[in-house]
Amino acid sequence: MVSLRFPFLFSQPPKPKPKPKPPHTKAASTFLAASAVVATAGAAAIAICQDPKDPFLKKALNSVFSNKSNHCSLPLWGSLSLAENSSSSSTVVESRTGVSFPSVLDDSKRLLGIGLRKKSVLGLKNIDVYAFGVYADDNDLKKFLSEKYGKLSNPEFKENKEFNEYIIENDICMTVRLQIVYSKLSIHSVRSAFEESVGSRLQKFGGSDNKDLLERFTSQFKDEYKIPRGSLIDLSREQGHVLCTKIDGKEVGSIQSQLLCQSILDLYIGKDPFDRQAKEDIEHNLASLLHK
Ligand code: DAO
Ligand code: DAO
């Protein structure tokens, strides 16, 4: 079954010719996706965007993805090459917020899934805080997953839920990109939210004595920083379990800690993720990537 919300990542689109980019409205994206589906029978098209509520698009996508020969011609790791096969200009839209994410980041990281971080305030309302995209380096994925899981069949791999933990724990270069959608975010509320979310993971994986690590992390975020709606925060695990944080493309700090990297990734692809559907999409895409 192909997820309509995120059905495209491992197809190998013919390299599209660069076109002038229209303003990225939802309508424009939907139109682009729909016309490209019709035109190219389901290759690059879907990398633009999809809206599962759009009956026309849903139908178009269904028909494309029900035809296996049109979908995912990627056979083996050996043919996986983002540089050759992905258009770095394509984006994916998180449908609830309208926020878009590039399907490739830093030339080598591919988008595995997108989701939404909500937060309940005083048990009264749920606010949308940020949309996120989870990326992983192609070569690292190839190396780590094929070494460990290359011999499993697709169903065996899908059933093997420990591969998420493996990805969370190991030295695979990954980025979680957050795009803020809540317009009244203060540094104070950010600090207390991640003391709760990251703090509970530090405790879960590392035991009780991790106050220093949490403080080192939170002290990177100075009171004077502003994070209005539209701000972009990249949390990247770089080689050697180094967590590097950028705000709007500017590095604000990096900390070498396997525990911290693992705790951050666990928020998105661990046992109790912020967005369960996003995690499932990521699992699905990893499975497709390993066995095509
Ligand atoms: O306005 O008090 C309020 C509610 C704020 C909720 C903030 C949640 C912050 C979540 C972490 C964001 C990390 C960028
Ligand atoms: O959503 O609860 C959460 C955790 C988010 C973890 C990352 C926070 C990084 C925040 C940077 C803020 C910069 C001022």
Side-chain angles (χ1 to χ4, degrees):
M1 239 308 267
V2 172
S3 159
L4 272 174
R5 203 168 147 227
F6 209 73
F8 49 84
L9 279 171
F10 304 115
S11 29
Q12 288 191 303
K15 207 171 180 177
K17 289 205 176 85
K19 280 185 200 150
K21 235 184 157 185
H24 204 107
T25 61
K26 197 171 167 190
S29 305
T30 305
F31 170 75
L32 272 177
S35 28
V37 165
V38 172
T40 64
I46 302 87
I48 311 284
C49 134
Q50 68 286 325
D51 181 350
K53 289 189 214 89
D54 180 329
F56 166 70
L57 196 51
K58 190 167 178 169
K59 211 169 152 209
L61 290 172
N62 271 334
S63 81
V64 165
F65 287 101
S66 62
N67 179 353
K68 258 195 157 227
S69 65
N70 282 335
H71 177 224
C72 300
S73 54
L74 182 69
L76 285 169
W77 284 110
S79 59
L80 192 73
S81 161
L82 282 181
E84 279 172 28
N85 295 310
S86 301
S87 160
S88 52
S89 62
S90 56
T91 58
V92 180
V93 175
E94 200 291 312
S95 59
R96 290 160 292 181
T97 55
V99 166
S100 63
F101 291 87
S103 53
V104 179
L105 205 60
D106 307 331
D107 293 333
S108 64
K109 287 182 191 143
R110 70 165 67 225
L111 185 56
L112 295 174
I114 52 178
L116 180 60
R117 157 74 152 127
K118 288 169 172 279
K119 170 101 179 135
S120 146
V121 183
L122 304 170
L124 293 173
K125 57 176 179 173
N126 245 338
I127 52 173
D128 295 349
V129 186
Y130 58 79
F132 63 85
V134 176
Y135 295 82
D137 183 87
D138 242 18
N139 290 323
D140 284 359
L141 274 182
K142 173 184 168 181
K143 178 169 164 278
F144 280 91
L145 287 182
S146 60
E147 266 171 19
K148 184 144 168 86
Y149 298 111
K151 292 197 178 77
L152 298 185
S153 70
N154 204 332
E156 281 170 339
F157 180 71
K158 277 183 177 159
E159 264 168 39
N160 186 328
K161 292 297 179 192
E162 74 166 42
F163 72 85
N164 262 0
E165 282 161 43
Y166 185 77
I167 285 175
I168 289 172
E169 284 167 20
N170 278 280
D171 201 12
I172 297 171
C173 291
M174 293 183 75
T175 294
V176 183
R177 168 165 285 192
L178 322 181
Q179 292 202 55
I180 307 298
V181 293
Y182 184 56
S183 54
K184 297 182 211 134
L185 209 51
S186 66
I187 288 291
H188 173 77
S189 56
V190 170
R191 276 214 193 95
S192 63
F194 61 58
E195 272 165 18
E196 185 187 321
S197 59
V198 183
S200 70
R201 266 65 175 195
L202 290 175
Q203 196 157 8
K204 172 173 138 186
F205 295 120
S208 53
D209 193 19
N210 288 297
K211 242 177 152 245
D212 285 358
L213 187 54
L214 190 64
E215 269 172 29
R216 270 173 69 205
F217 181 59
T218 55
S219 66
Q220 296 179 118
F221 311 119
K222 314 274 181 260
D223 288 346
E224 63 271 23
Y225 288 174
K226 298 276 177 283
I227 34 173
R229 185 183 165 88
S231 301
L232 213 96
I233 297 167
D234 285 338
L235 301 162
S236 299
R237 173 170 63 193
E238 295 179 346
Q239 213 175 20
H241 301 276
V242 175
L243 183 76
C244 170
T245 307
K246 289 184 182 165
I247 302 180
D248 290 330
K250 191 167 163 276
E251 185 170 332
V252 295
S254 59
I255 296 174
Q256 200 273 329
S257 162
Q258 179 176 15
L259 178 58
L260 184 59
C261 294
Q262 180 182 7
S263 300
I264 296 276
L265 289 167
D266 188 74
L267 301 171
Y268 306 94
I269 49 177
K271 283 214 165 67
D272 186 18
F274 286 145
D275 185 330
R276 200 155 286 282
Q277 182 62 52
K279 178 186 161 177
E280 282 172 19
D281 291 343
I282 292 166
E283 285 173 349
H284 172 85
N285 284 326
L286 286 169
S288 314
L289 189 56
L290 190 60
H291 289 109
K292 271 291 148 218

